[in-house]
Amino acid sequence: MLISTKGRYALRVMIDLAEHQGEGFIPLKVIAQRQEISEKYLESIIKLLVKSRLLIGVRGKGGGYQLTKAPDQCTVGAILRLTEDSLAPVACLEQDADACPRSSACRTLPLWQGLDKVINEYLDGVTVADLAQRGDAGDNYVI
């Protein structure tokens, strides 16, 4: 499993909006500047987040984007499932995978199923609020 830039940027957008929640609707241009992401690329990500009802958008003066629910109700797992083709560690565990003829005799299948469970439980246990509350990146070391 490799998380794409689309997935990573979607998380950054959601965190940005959570951190600026009290400021009303945030224009796409402002998010793009703060996150140093191309506006054009961000448009496609925002469309996906709006379509899935994680964000609401308003056009015109004073328009922009806002979260549709509290940051503690938005999980990293839900966001990444929207942006990634799959979070499965192996092809046979993907949602629409054909049944493997070797699955009944596969010695590694339980390993991959366990890893898949751990990945999903972990990502579903982390919220946008958790990420927004963390300190500055790289500022968590101890001497």
Side-chain angles (χ1 to χ4, degrees):
M1 172 185 74
L2 184 66
I3 304 298
S4 69
T5 55
K6 187 192 292 186
R8 295 191 320 263
Y9 290 178
L11 287 173
R12 286 171 50 186
V13 166
M14 296 293 287
I15 295 165
D16 186 280
L17 290 172
E19 291 174 336
H20 297 277
Q21 216 172 353
E23 299 173 21
F25 287 92
I26 309 294
L28 176 74
K29 184 177 187 172
V30 172
I31 300 167
Q33 287 174 343
R34 280 196 295 239
Q35 295 303 314
E36 298 177 349
I37 302 171
S38 151
E39 276 186 66
K40 193 77 173 162
Y41 190 45
L42 201 54
E43 282 176 12
S44 66
I45 294 168
I46 294 258
K47 277 184 190 177
L48 186 62
L49 295 171
V50 168
K51 185 178 178 183
S52 65
R53 298 187 177 154
L54 289 174
L55 299 182
I56 186 170
V58 173
R59 294 179 184 240
K61 186 174 179 159
Y65 298 92
Q66 278 185 339
L67 300 175
T68 58
K69 47 188 167 180
D72 64 349
Q73 299 299 308
C74 302
T75 68
V76 169
I79 296 163
L80 292 179
R81 282 186 206 92
L82 289 172
T83 60
E84 305 305 312
D85 290 334
S86 174
L87 296 178
V90 290
C92 64
L93 293 180
E94 290 180 358
Q95 191 169 13
D96 297 327
D98 293 332
C100 176
R102 295 198 70 246
S103 65
S104 63
C106 182
R107 300 292 195 139
T108 60
L109 183 58
L111 169 77
W112 303 130
Q113 289 170 328
L115 179 59
D116 188 52
K117 182 180 177 187
V118 168
I119 290 168
N120 282 287
E121 286 177 355
Y122 178 74
L123 294 175
D124 288 336
V126 179
T127 67
V128 170
D130 295 330
L131 298 176
Q133 290 174 358
R134 296 199 175 145
D136 293 334
D139 194 22
N140 59 350
Y141 59 91
V142 177
I143 296 178

